[in-house]
Amino acid sequence: MKSVQQEVDERSNLTNSNKFELLLFRLGGDANGEHSELFGINVFKIREIVAMPEVTAVAGSSPHMLGVVNLRGQIITVLDLPSIVGVIPKTGLNIMLVTEFARTTQAFAVESVDEIVRLDWSQVLTAEGTAGGRVTSIARVDGDVQNTRLAQVLDVETILRELVPPEGKDVDPETIGPQLLLKPGQIILAADDSVVARSLIEKGLTAMGAHYIMTKTGKEAWDRLQHIADGAKAEGVPVDERVGLVLTDLEMPEMDGFTLTRLIKQDARFAKIPVVIHSSLSGKTNEDHVRGVGADAYVAKFVAEDLAATIRQVLHK
């Protein structure tokens, strides 16, 4: 039997191979309780899984908010995930997933938990627009086989922005600080699979006066960087004259941000291009991984002023 430390080490080392672990769970089905589909969330986002405790309703809250629970002295908001995605649990809300990301702790009520599976990001395909924009990708759980199980990976960032919007403006040009000093013709290449995250990043970069190219996956960003490098070579200029910085999420279909960063840092053509990782995955373990792949900086999502300050610091070293 593996020790707890072995399990932790194995899970941590997944970031070196474009792999991750997905917690599979079910939310319910149609009005008759049929067609219960699989959903998934990255294990790195899960703090704990507990039997559904007693929930205290909060007056005037969203219809998708069940209320709050007191979990070992911490008051945590509990969201009704089946209601959010429009399905009906046949046996009730039995399990609570406590998650930590984007600097917040919250819980999601689900019907049941199936298992944890280890996948390569190449098994995950982008699926923007599914479930009202609340699904980022579809995971082929059993690999590229005819009858593979399919799991919908939820865009939790979008769900939380809709149900628990932050106070004040997402991006305030008056507080975001001075304009970036990119060279003429330079752009920032950004990658993020979340619709809401891309929108916030675009607003922030625009407020800083930066030209940018936005992509939806690590693979798309890598392919775009190759194309830019080929163009720069044809013009007889180094590629860093065209790309001033790469800004990448970590969790993305096809190729994650760890792999994208590693590819960039191992390629002599891109030696002078800094990489900033911008992720909802927080905590010391993930920050250690970021340093391990050679990223120039890490910033947790999403505070526009923090992102702007980090980008400036890296660019103006």
Side-chain angles (χ1 to χ4, degrees), residues 16 46 59 86 96 123 135-136 171 175 188 211 226 234 247 249 283 314 317:
N16 295 324
I46 303 292
M96 187 173 77
Q123 293 175 240
V135 169
T136 61
V171 178
T175 62
I188 288 178
H211 295 286
Q226 302 299 307
L247 176 67
D249 187 20
V314 170
K317 281 182 179 178

Side-chain angles (χ1 to χ4, degrees), residues 37-155:
E37 307 294 350
L38 274 176
F39 292 85
I41 187 171
N42 193 325
V43 169
F44 271 132
K45 289 181 175 178
I46 303 292
R47 192 177 87 182
E48 57 186 309
I49 302 169
V50 298
M52 196 67 199
E54 183 177 345
V55 179
T56 301
V58 176
S61 60
S62 158
H64 298 308
M65 178 179 168
L66 291 175
V68 296
V69 296
N70 179 16
L71 191 63
R72 290 186 294 281
Q74 183 180 12
I75 303 300
I76 299 174
T77 298
V78 183
L79 300 173
D80 183 345
L81 203 47
S83 170
I84 291 168
V85 302
V87 298
I88 301 169
K90 190 173 184 177
T91 64
L93 299 173
N94 305 309
I95 303 293
M96 187 173 77
L97 308 179
V98 182
T99 63
E100 284 185 336
F101 63 103
R103 310 175 189 232
T104 63
T105 301
Q106 54 283 307
F108 293 97
V110 304
E111 182 175 34
S112 63
V113 168
D114 273 32
E115 61 178 315
I116 292 174
V117 292
R118 188 165 292 183
L119 305 176
D120 191 287
W121 277 108
S122 64
Q123 293 175 240
V124 184
L125 304 178
T126 187
E128 197 164 293
T130 306
R134 291 172 176 160
V135 169
T136 61
S137 52
I138 303 292
R140 296 173 294 188
V141 176
D142 306 307
D144 190 13
V145 297
Q146 183 65 31
N147 296 314
T148 182
R149 291 171 293 165
L150 299 177
Q152 301 174 60
V153 182
L154 292 171
D155 186 347

Side-chain angles (χ1 to χ4, degrees), residues 3 27 30 81 84 86 120 145 165 179 192 215 228 248 295 312:
S3 70
L27 301 177
D30 57 23
L81 203 47
I84 291 168
D120 191 287
V145 297
Q179 301 284 283
D192 202 297
T215 61
I228 294 172
T248 181
R312 281 194 204 93

